[in-house]
Amino acid sequence: MIASKPSGGGARLRGTVGLVLHCALFAAVFYLTVHSMYRTGKAPEEAPASQAARLPPVPDERKAHIFIYMLDSLPDRMIGTGRMPFLDSFVERTIHGAEKPCSDALTVPCIEATMTGRDEYSIMSFFDDFLTSKQKTSGTVFENLRDRGYRIGLVGDYSWNIVRHVLDPGRIYEIARVPSDAEMLDEALSILASDDPDIIVTAANEFDAASHHSKPGSERYFEAARAADGLARKAFEHLPDGWHMLVFGDHGHDDMGRHVAGLDI
């Protein structure tokens, strides 16, 4: 039997818990009061009316039809390594290029920058990345397309809430109910087949999870890369004649599986 002298650890633990709760409360209040103050770009209080709204609708016979597939955390350095053979072959016959992550290097801000062309760094962006109730953003390319008569279908998670108001049809899953990448792709292809959209958008998120939990370079990481590549191939093979496919990533990861502002990813 080994006995230890009490050291007053219970009191210290209670003090530590209290300090942590105090800091968490302070951080929450700080976020809510100054969130909009620390941004590099200034958005107008009232977004101007869409320029596209002043233009006539695009006739059906002149519309481009595009399947947009975001592979969360797809790094440019993965292409050409043989780990994603479909995308390697895709690159050989398409227009392609390296994409610079948005300043925050987080999914929600990067989607917003892609949709609006405004890259507005915020010291509170980490909170935004998990703010599932984030409201719509005005001035997006999807709004312009809708105003020109395009029907935009989307199957994704809460990261796409900023364009929820222009989707027809759209399915946004909350963070606790996001299905597998394969299931989301099947749902997107079902919309493509039955609802006659002009543009369809979906995303694969499991590559990002593997990057965080198993680190880039691990076997799980490469397995997730192969799975994402296979889903991109499946999507392409199911496209009707005359459709185009756009594949892009939002950010990469460093060797430890991190992606935050300031890292070269």
Side-chain angles (χ1 to χ4, degrees):
M1 179 181 290
I2 301 176
S4 299
K5 182 178 179 180
S7 60
R12 285 201 298 272
L13 177 60
R14 288 192 295 273
T16 301
V17 171
L19 178 62
V20 170
L21 292 175
H22 175 80
C23 291
L25 178 61
F26 174 80
V29 173
F30 181 76
Y31 170 69
L32 292 173
T33 54
V34 306
H35 171 251
S36 62
M37 295 173 59
Y38 297 92
R39 307 188 74 88
T40 58
K42 292 184 178 179
E45 291 185 6
E46 292 293 334
S50 167
Q51 294 181 0
R54 299 193 293 269
L55 298 172
V58 177
D60 286 343
E61 64 272 14
R62 294 186 57 193
K63 287 180 180 177
H65 295 87
I66 308 173
F67 189 100
I68 301 175
Y69 204 6
M70 188 188 84
L71 301 185
D72 194 342
S73 297
L74 174 67
D76 176 64
R77 65 177 180 270
M78 181 67 72
I79 306 303
T81 64
R83 301 281 186 176
M84 305 182 85
F86 171 70
L87 290 185
D88 286 349
S89 67
F90 200 66
V91 164
E92 292 172 0
R93 60 182 189 271
T94 62
I95 298 172
H96 67 280
E99 180 185 16
K100 181 182 180 297
C102 68
S103 299
D104 293 308
L106 295 166
T107 296
V108 171
C110 284
I111 289 176
E112 188 164 6
T114 301
M115 292 291 102
T116 64
R118 300 190 301 266
D119 188 4
E120 300 175 345
Y121 172 75
S122 168
I123 62 173
M124 297 300 180
S125 58
F126 181 81
F127 293 92
D128 270 348
D129 207 45
F130 295 95
L131 192 63
T132 60
S133 60
K134 186 175 177 65
Q135 299 301 306
K136 70 179 185 181
T137 296
S138 297
T140 68
V141 65
F142 281 0
E143 280 184 315
N144 288 335
L145 289 168
R146 178 207 54 192
D147 292 344
R148 295 299 307 277
Y150 280 81
R151 292 189 65 222
I152 303 166
L154 182 145
V155 179
D157 65 12
Y158 72 94
S159 305
W160 298 90
N161 271 336
I162 62 170
V163 294
R164 180 193 291 268
H165 59 298
V166 299
L167 303 179
D168 178 27
R171 178 68 178 271
I172 303 288
Y173 286 95
E174 297 306 321
I175 192 169
R177 297 183 175 87
V178 179
S180 70
D181 290 348
E183 291 171 322
M184 280 208 292
L185 176 59
D186 285 343
E187 189 170 354
L189 292 175
S190 176
I191 289 175
L192 175 63
S194 61
D195 288 277
D196 196 30
D198 301 302
I199 295 173
I200 187 77
V201 187
T202 191
N205 303 314
E206 291 165 11
F207 188 38
D208 177 70
S211 302
H212 281 295
H213 299 301
S214 299
K215 309 297 185 291
S218 67
E219 184 54 36
R220 183 186 173 193
Y221 176 82
F222 291 131
E223 288 176 357
R226 288 191 291 271
D229 186 70
L231 293 175
R233 179 190 296 275
K234 178 179 178 179
F236 186 74
E237 291 175 346
H238 281 76
L239 294 184
D241 291 343
W243 275 68
H244 306 280
M245 184 172 181
L246 170 64
V247 179
F248 75 100
D250 50 349
H251 55 74
H253 288 255
D254 69 3
D255 292 340
M256 295 301 294
R258 300 169 299 189
H259 58 93
V260 293
L263 293 180
D264 183 15
I265 54 173

PDB file of all heavy atoms in Angstrom, residues 3 21 39 56 68 70 81 86 95-96 103-104 138 143 147 150 153 157 162 205-206 218 227 229 249:
ATOM      1  N   ALA A   3       0.676   5.306   0.486  1.00  0.00           N
ATOM      2  CA  ALA A   3      -0.136   6.434   0.929  1.00  0.00           C
ATOM      3  C   ALA A   3       0.537   7.729   0.552  1.00  0.00           C
ATOM      4  O   ALA A   3       1.750   7.810   0.531  1.00  0.00           O
ATOM      5  CB  ALA A   3      -0.340   6.373   2.430  1.00  0.00           C
ATOM      6  N   LEU A  21     -13.309  29.210 -16.514  1.00  0.00           N
ATOM      7  CA  LEU A  21     -14.662  29.680 -16.816  1.00  0.00           C
ATOM      8  C   LEU A  21     -14.705  31.198 -16.957  1.00  0.00           C
ATOM      9  O   LEU A  21     -15.375  31.745 -17.837  1.00  0.00           O
ATOM     10  CB  LEU A  21     -15.635  29.227 -15.727  1.00  0.00           C
ATOM     11  CG  LEU A  21     -15.902  27.714 -15.665  1.00  0.00           C
ATOM     12  CD1 LEU A  21     -16.788  27.391 -14.468  1.00  0.00           C
ATOM     13  CD2 LEU A  21     -16.568  27.232 -16.958  1.00  0.00           C
ATOM     14  N   ARG A  39     -11.025  44.236 -38.756  1.00  0.00           N
ATOM     15  CA  ARG A  39     -11.034  43.656 -40.090  1.00  0.00           C
ATOM     16  C   ARG A  39     -10.217  44.549 -41.007  1.00  0.00           C
ATOM     17  O   ARG A  39     -10.194  45.756 -40.873  1.00  0.00           O
ATOM     18  CB  ARG A  39     -12.467  43.524 -40.631  1.00  0.00           C
ATOM     19  CG  ARG A  39     -13.407  42.793 -39.689  1.00  0.00           C
ATOM     20  CD  ARG A  39     -14.744  42.520 -40.357  1.00  0.00           C
ATOM     21  NE  ARG A  39     -14.620  41.450 -41.330  1.00  0.00           N
ATOM     22  CZ  ARG A  39     -14.768  40.173 -41.019  1.00  0.00           C
ATOM     23  NH1 ARG A  39     -15.010  39.799 -39.793  1.00  0.00           N
ATOM     24  NH2 ARG A  39     -14.650  39.244 -41.954  1.00  0.00           N
ATOM     25  N   PRO A  56     -30.547  41.619 -68.280  1.00  0.00           N
ATOM     26  CA  PRO A  56     -31.603  40.637 -68.588  1.00  0.00           C
ATOM     27  C   PRO A  56     -31.159  39.233 -68.242  1.00  0.00           C
ATOM     28  O   PRO A  56     -29.946  38.937 -68.199  1.00  0.00           O
ATOM     29  CB  PRO A  56     -31.790  40.813 -70.097  1.00  0.00           C
ATOM     30  CG  PRO A  56     -30.476  41.333 -70.591  1.00  0.00           C
ATOM     31  CD  PRO A  56     -29.965  42.230 -69.489  1.00  0.00           C
ATOM     32  N   ILE A  68     -19.679  22.237 -59.246  1.00  0.00           N
ATOM     33  CA  ILE A  68     -18.602  22.783 -58.408  1.00  0.00           C
ATOM     34  C   ILE A  68     -18.374  21.854 -57.225  1.00  0.00           C
ATOM     35  O   ILE A  68     -19.298  21.591 -56.445  1.00  0.00           O
ATOM     36  CB  ILE A  68     -18.959  24.198 -57.910  1.00  0.00           C
ATOM     37  CG1 ILE A  68     -19.189  25.130 -59.110  1.00  0.00           C
ATOM     38  CG2 ILE A  68     -17.860  24.739 -57.012  1.00  0.00           C
ATOM     39  CD1 ILE A  68     -19.676  26.515 -58.719  1.00  0.00           C
ATOM     40  N   MET A  70     -15.939  21.284 -53.959  1.00  0.00           N
ATOM     41  CA  MET A  70     -14.884  21.742 -53.064  1.00  0.00           C
ATOM     42  C   MET A  70     -14.344  20.561 -52.266  1.00  0.00           C
ATOM     43  O   MET A  70     -15.085  19.910 -51.528  1.00  0.00           O
ATOM     44  CB  MET A  70     -15.394  22.807 -52.095  1.00  0.00           C
ATOM     45  CG  MET A  70     -14.255  23.443 -51.286  1.00  0.00           C
ATOM     46  SD  MET A  70     -14.811  24.528 -49.963  1.00  0.00           S
ATOM     47  CE  MET A  70     -15.112  23.343 -48.650  1.00  0.00           C
ATOM     48  N   THR A  81       1.428  13.990 -57.792  1.00  0.00           N
ATOM     49  CA  THR A  81       2.212  13.013 -57.029  1.00  0.00           C
ATOM     50  C   THR A  81       1.798  11.581 -57.321  1.00  0.00           C
ATOM     51  O   THR A  81       2.460  10.644 -56.857  1.00  0.00           O
ATOM     52  CB  THR A  81       2.050  13.266 -55.520  1.00  0.00           C
ATOM     53  OG1 THR A  81       0.678  13.046 -55.147  1.00  0.00           O
ATOM     54  CG2 THR A  81       2.454  14.689 -55.152  1.00  0.00           C
ATOM     55  N   PHE A  86      -7.076  10.632 -60.675  1.00  0.00           N
ATOM     56  CA  PHE A  86      -8.082  11.293 -61.501  1.00  0.00           C
ATOM     57  C   PHE A  86      -7.787  12.778 -61.622  1.00  0.00           C
ATOM     58  O   PHE A  86      -7.816  13.334 -62.724  1.00  0.00           O
ATOM     59  CB  PHE A  86      -9.490  11.097 -60.943  1.00  0.00           C
ATOM     60  CG  PHE A  86     -10.503  11.954 -61.648  1.00  0.00           C
ATOM     61  CD1 PHE A  86     -10.862  11.684 -62.961  1.00  0.00           C
ATOM     62  CD2 PHE A  86     -11.072  13.055 -61.024  1.00  0.00           C
ATOM     63  CE1 PHE A  86     -11.772  12.494 -63.640  1.00  0.00           C
ATOM     64  CE2 PHE A  86     -11.976  13.867 -61.688  1.00  0.00           C
ATOM     65  CZ  PHE A  86     -12.331  13.575 -63.005  1.00  0.00           C
ATOM     66  N   ILE A  95      -7.915  23.788 -67.568  1.00  0.00           N
ATOM     67  CA  ILE A  95      -7.295  24.999 -67.021  1.00  0.00           C
ATOM     68  C   ILE A  95      -7.127  24.792 -65.520  1.00  0.00           C
ATOM     69  O   ILE A  95      -8.059  24.375 -64.834  1.00  0.00           O
ATOM     70  CB  ILE A  95      -8.188  26.226 -67.289  1.00  0.00           C
ATOM     71  CG1 ILE A  95      -8.352  26.431 -68.802  1.00  0.00           C
ATOM     72  CG2 ILE A  95      -7.621  27.474 -66.633  1.00  0.00           C
ATOM     73  CD1 ILE A  95      -9.365  27.503 -69.158  1.00  0.00           C
ATOM     74  N   HIS A  96      -5.956  25.056 -64.995  1.00  0.00           N
ATOM     75  CA  HIS A  96      -5.724  24.824 -63.570  1.00  0.00           C
ATOM     76  C   HIS A  96      -4.671  25.798 -63.061  1.00  0.00           C
ATOM     77  O   HIS A  96      -3.980  26.467 -63.829  1.00  0.00           O
ATOM     78  CB  HIS A  96      -5.268  23.388 -63.320  1.00  0.00           C
ATOM     79  CG  HIS A  96      -3.914  23.097 -63.903  1.00  0.00           C
ATOM     80  ND1 HIS A  96      -3.740  22.806 -65.254  1.00  0.00           N
ATOM     81  CD2 HIS A  96      -2.669  23.071 -63.353  1.00  0.00           C
ATOM     82  CE1 HIS A  96      -2.462  22.600 -65.503  1.00  0.00           C
ATOM     83  NE2 HIS A  96      -1.790  22.760 -64.360  1.00  0.00           N
ATOM     84  N   SER A 103      -6.887  34.932 -46.204  1.00  0.00           N
ATOM     85  CA  SER A 103      -6.002  35.389 -45.127  1.00  0.00           C
ATOM     86  C   SER A 103      -6.185  34.605 -43.841  1.00  0.00           C
ATOM     87  O   SER A 103      -5.239  34.377 -43.083  1.00  0.00           O
ATOM     88  CB  SER A 103      -6.238  36.882 -44.861  1.00  0.00           C
ATOM     89  OG  SER A 103      -5.963  37.650 -46.006  1.00  0.00           O
ATOM     90  N   ASP A 104      -7.431  34.189 -43.556  1.00  0.00           N
ATOM     91  CA  ASP A 104      -7.711  33.468 -42.314  1.00  0.00           C
ATOM     92  C   ASP A 104      -7.343  31.995 -42.394  1.00  0.00           C
ATOM     93  O   ASP A 104      -7.188  31.340 -41.364  1.00  0.00           O
ATOM     94  CB  ASP A 104      -9.194  33.585 -41.950  1.00  0.00           C
ATOM     95  CG  ASP A 104      -9.576  35.012 -41.590  1.00  0.00           C
ATOM     96  OD1 ASP A 104      -8.902  35.602 -40.748  1.00  0.00           O
ATOM     97  OD2 ASP A 104     -10.555  35.525 -42.155  1.00  0.00           O
ATOM     98  N   SER A 138     -24.199  39.270 -48.534  1.00  0.00           N
ATOM     99  CA  SER A 138     -24.659  39.901 -49.766  1.00  0.00           C
ATOM    100  C   SER A 138     -23.486  40.124 -50.712  1.00  0.00           C
ATOM    101  O   SER A 138     -22.332  40.183 -50.307  1.00  0.00           O
ATOM    102  CB  SER A 138     -25.343  41.236 -49.457  1.00  0.00           C
ATOM    103  OG  SER A 138     -26.496  41.033 -48.667  1.00  0.00           O
ATOM    104  N   GLU A 143     -25.427  35.238 -55.988  1.00  0.00           N
ATOM    105  CA  GLU A 143     -26.537  36.181 -56.118  1.00  0.00           C
ATOM    106  C   GLU A 143     -26.595  36.747 -57.534  1.00  0.00           C
ATOM    107  O   GLU A 143     -27.674  36.875 -58.122  1.00  0.00           O
ATOM    108  CB  GLU A 143     -26.378  37.328 -55.117  1.00  0.00           C
ATOM    109  CG  GLU A 143     -26.813  36.996 -53.713  1.00  0.00           C
ATOM    110  CD  GLU A 143     -26.714  38.202 -52.805  1.00  0.00           C
ATOM    111  OE1 GLU A 143     -25.707  38.910 -52.855  1.00  0.00           O
ATOM    112  OE2 GLU A 143     -27.660  38.418 -52.027  1.00  0.00           O
ATOM    113  N   ASP A 147     -29.678  36.277 -60.156  1.00  0.00           N
ATOM    114  CA  ASP A 147     -30.348  37.423 -60.758  1.00  0.00           C
ATOM    115  C   ASP A 147     -30.312  37.379 -62.282  1.00  0.00           C
ATOM    116  O   ASP A 147     -31.108  38.064 -62.939  1.00  0.00           O
ATOM    117  CB  ASP A 147     -29.717  38.728 -60.256  1.00  0.00           C
ATOM    118  CG  ASP A 147     -29.983  38.968 -58.782  1.00  0.00           C
ATOM    119  OD1 ASP A 147     -30.894  38.316 -58.230  1.00  0.00           O
ATOM    120  OD2 ASP A 147     -29.270  39.790 -58.168  1.00  0.00           O
ATOM    121  N   TYR A 150     -30.058  31.942 -63.283  1.00  0.00           N
ATOM    122  CA  TYR A 150     -29.497  30.622 -63.016  1.00  0.00           C
ATOM    123  C   TYR A 150     -30.147  29.990 -61.791  1.00  0.00           C
ATOM    124  O   TYR A 150     -30.410  30.666 -60.797  1.00  0.00           O
ATOM    125  CB  TYR A 150     -27.984  30.728 -62.769  1.00  0.00           C
ATOM    126  CG  TYR A 150     -27.146  30.839 -64.017  1.00  0.00           C
ATOM    127  CD1 TYR A 150     -26.994  32.058 -64.665  1.00  0.00           C
ATOM    128  CD2 TYR A 150     -26.497  29.728 -64.550  1.00  0.00           C
ATOM    129  CE1 TYR A 150     -26.214  32.172 -65.812  1.00  0.00           C
ATOM    130  CE2 TYR A 150     -25.718  29.836 -65.690  1.00  0.00           C
ATOM    131  CZ  TYR A 150     -25.573  31.061 -66.316  1.00  0.00           C
ATOM    132  OH  TYR A 150     -24.810  31.161 -67.451  1.00  0.00           O
ATOM    133  N   GLY A 153     -28.194  24.664 -57.233  1.00  0.00           N
ATOM    134  CA  GLY A 153     -28.447  23.632 -56.231  1.00  0.00           C
ATOM    135  C   GLY A 153     -27.192  23.393 -55.416  1.00  0.00           C
ATOM    136  O   GLY A 153     -26.071  23.512 -55.914  1.00  0.00           O
ATOM    137  N   ASP A 157     -22.534  21.514 -45.774  1.00  0.00           N
ATOM    138  CA  ASP A 157     -22.740  21.720 -44.343  1.00  0.00           C
ATOM    139  C   ASP A 157     -22.920  23.209 -44.055  1.00  0.00           C
ATOM    140  O   ASP A 157     -23.058  24.031 -44.964  1.00  0.00           O
ATOM    141  CB  ASP A 157     -21.594  21.103 -43.528  1.00  0.00           C
ATOM    142  CG  ASP A 157     -20.249  21.786 -43.783  1.00  0.00           C
ATOM    143  OD1 ASP A 157     -20.223  22.880 -44.405  1.00  0.00           O
ATOM    144  OD2 ASP A 157     -19.224  21.230 -43.359  1.00  0.00           O
ATOM    145  N   ILE A 162     -23.899  31.162 -45.837  1.00  0.00           N
ATOM    146  CA  ILE A 162     -23.872  32.531 -46.359  1.00  0.00           C
ATOM    147  C   ILE A 162     -24.574  32.648 -47.709  1.00  0.00           C
ATOM    148  O   ILE A 162     -24.940  33.751 -48.120  1.00  0.00           O
ATOM    149  CB  ILE A 162     -22.428  33.056 -46.477  1.00  0.00           C
ATOM    150  CG1 ILE A 162     -21.611  32.203 -47.457  1.00  0.00           C
ATOM    151  CG2 ILE A 162     -21.775  33.131 -45.118  1.00  0.00           C
ATOM    152  CD1 ILE A 162     -20.274  32.815 -47.802  1.00  0.00           C
ATOM    153  N   ASN A 205     -15.493  16.649 -47.093  1.00  0.00           N
ATOM    154  CA  ASN A 205     -14.846  17.171 -45.885  1.00  0.00           C
ATOM    155  C   ASN A 205     -13.932  16.180 -45.178  1.00  0.00           C
ATOM    156  O   ASN A 205     -13.200  16.559 -44.257  1.00  0.00           O
ATOM    157  CB  ASN A 205     -15.918  17.633 -44.894  1.00  0.00           C
ATOM    158  CG  ASN A 205     -16.851  18.677 -45.490  1.00  0.00           C
ATOM    159  OD1 ASN A 205     -16.406  19.621 -46.123  1.00  0.00           O
ATOM    160  ND2 ASN A 205     -18.151  18.494 -45.296  1.00  0.00           N
ATOM    161  N   GLU A 206     -13.974  14.912 -45.574  1.00  0.00           N
ATOM    162  CA  GLU A 206     -13.241  13.899 -44.811  1.00  0.00           C
ATOM    163  C   GLU A 206     -11.728  13.993 -44.984  1.00  0.00           C
ATOM    164  O   GLU A 206     -10.966  13.572 -44.111  1.00  0.00           O
ATOM    165  CB  GLU A 206     -13.754  12.509 -45.193  1.00  0.00           C
ATOM    166  CG  GLU A 206     -15.178  12.275 -44.692  1.00  0.00           C
ATOM    167  CD  GLU A 206     -15.871  11.084 -45.330  1.00  0.00           C
ATOM    168  OE1 GLU A 206     -15.192  10.293 -46.021  1.00  0.00           O
ATOM    169  OE2 GLU A 206     -17.102  10.946 -45.159  1.00  0.00           O
ATOM    170  N   SER A 218       0.517  10.765 -43.423  1.00  0.00           N
ATOM    171  CA  SER A 218       0.165   9.500 -42.796  1.00  0.00           C
ATOM    172  C   SER A 218      -0.606   8.636 -43.785  1.00  0.00           C
ATOM    173  O   SER A 218      -1.108   9.110 -44.808  1.00  0.00           O
ATOM    174  CB  SER A 218      -0.691   9.742 -41.556  1.00  0.00           C
ATOM    175  OG  SER A 218      -1.959  10.274 -41.923  1.00  0.00           O
ATOM    176  N   ALA A 227      -9.742   8.564 -51.588  1.00  0.00           N
ATOM    177  CA  ALA A 227     -11.205   8.542 -51.536  1.00  0.00           C
ATOM    178  C   ALA A 227     -11.794   9.814 -52.157  1.00  0.00           C
ATOM    179  O   ALA A 227     -12.758   9.750 -52.928  1.00  0.00           O
ATOM    180  CB  ALA A 227     -11.676   8.393 -50.095  1.00  0.00           C
ATOM    181  N   ASP A 229     -10.392  11.704 -54.375  1.00  0.00           N
ATOM    182  CA  ASP A 229     -10.124  11.615 -55.811  1.00  0.00           C
ATOM    183  C   ASP A 229     -11.156  10.721 -56.492  1.00  0.00           C
ATOM    184  O   ASP A 229     -11.651  11.043 -57.582  1.00  0.00           O
ATOM    185  CB  ASP A 229      -8.714  11.055 -56.024  1.00  0.00           C
ATOM    186  CG  ASP A 229      -8.291  11.071 -57.484  1.00  0.00           C
ATOM    187  OD1 ASP A 229      -8.069  12.173 -58.017  1.00  0.00           O
ATOM    188  OD2 ASP A 229      -8.165   9.984 -58.081  1.00  0.00           O
ATOM    189  N   GLY A 249      -9.857  23.664 -53.688  1.00  0.00           N
ATOM    190  CA  GLY A 249      -9.686  23.520 -52.246  1.00  0.00           C
ATOM    191  C   GLY A 249      -9.777  24.878 -51.591  1.00  0.00           C
ATOM    192  O   GLY A 249      -9.751  25.911 -52.264  1.00  0.00           O
TER     193      GLY A 249
END
